[in-house]
Amino acid sequence: MTSMVKDAKESLALTSKINQTNITIQEQQKKEDILAKQTTLQQHRHTAGHPMTTNPSDGVLEENKVKKKKERLEQNRISARESRKRKKTMIEDLQRTVITLSRENKDLNQRNESLRRQLIEIGTKYPNAVSLHALMGPNMALTPPCQTWHEGSS
């Protein structure tokens, strides 16, 4: 039951993080849209403030430059938007992976603890069969009941 509660809490936390990421991305998109509009307005003011030159080809060149700059800015906005989407997807995938690996790690730790308890029980039932220290390895700490068992068999 507690595992289900923890899973629900983890899912809720992931959903909250995803929502925060979505809000941040939306705010960035709004800022870029506002900046693009401001840039467009400035460009119109800039070109409108200058008197047209007498040479018509100069005006055409200027219009082409402005048009290319607008296209480039639009492509940059699209590229940035797609980049944010990819980043959002990657973050969501990583968050799901963290949850999955955390659950797996928890399950493996529980399984490990269960096997250790079984090993200790077998060692207490059959003390002369195999040394617990040999089975558990040099880095494994014995639990207090096992230490008592070793003290009593000496």
Side-chain angles (χ1 to χ4, degrees):
M1 181 80 172
T2 59
S3 176
M4 290 174 59
V5 171
K6 285 184 180 179
D7 290 346
K9 286 182 180 179
E10 289 173 352
S11 295
L12 184 60
L14 176 60
T15 303
S16 175
K17 287 180 183 178
I18 291 170
N19 288 339
Q20 289 173 350
T21 303
N22 288 342
I23 290 170
T24 303
I25 289 172
Q26 289 171 354
E27 289 173 354
Q28 287 175 342
Q29 287 174 343
K30 286 179 184 177
K31 287 178 183 177
E32 283 184 4
D33 290 342
I34 290 170
L35 182 62
K37 289 177 184 176
Q38 288 174 347
T39 304
T40 303
L41 285 174
Q42 288 174 354
Q43 288 173 348
H44 286 302
R45 288 182 192 145
H46 179 70
T47 56
H50 290 290
M52 292 299 288
T53 59
T54 56
N55 189 349
S57 64
D58 288 344
V60 172
L61 291 175
E62 185 66 27
E63 287 178 18
N64 284 341
K65 286 182 183 180
V66 170
K67 183 179 177 182
K68 285 184 180 185
K69 186 172 182 178
K70 286 180 183 179
E71 289 173 357
R72 193 172 55 249
L73 289 173
E74 181 62 26
Q75 286 299 319
N76 286 346
R77 281 192 291 276
I78 291 169
S79 177
R81 189 175 301 122
E82 289 172 356
S83 177
R84 286 191 302 274
K85 284 180 184 178
R86 284 192 304 270
K87 182 179 179 182
K88 176 185 168 189
T89 302
M90 183 183 72
I91 288 171
E92 290 172 351
D93 288 345
L94 287 173
Q95 288 172 334
R96 280 190 289 272
T97 301
V98 165
I99 289 173
T100 301
L101 292 176
S102 295
R103 287 177 185 160
E104 183 180 341
N105 188 32
K106 178 184 161 193
D107 292 343
L108 289 172
N109 281 331
Q110 289 174 346
R111 176 78 174 134
N112 187 18
E113 185 61 32
S114 172
L115 290 172
R116 285 177 191 243
R117 277 191 245 113
Q118 289 177 6
L119 182 62
I120 290 170
E121 288 175 17
I122 291 171
T124 57
K125 287 181 183 176
Y126 306 103
N128 295 328
V130 177
S131 167
L132 278 178
H133 288 289
L135 288 173
M136 295 183 75
N139 296 331
M140 304 290 180
L142 293 175
T143 58
C146 287
Q147 289 172 345
T148 305
W149 169 73
H150 274 96
E151 291 169 1
S153 63
S154 305

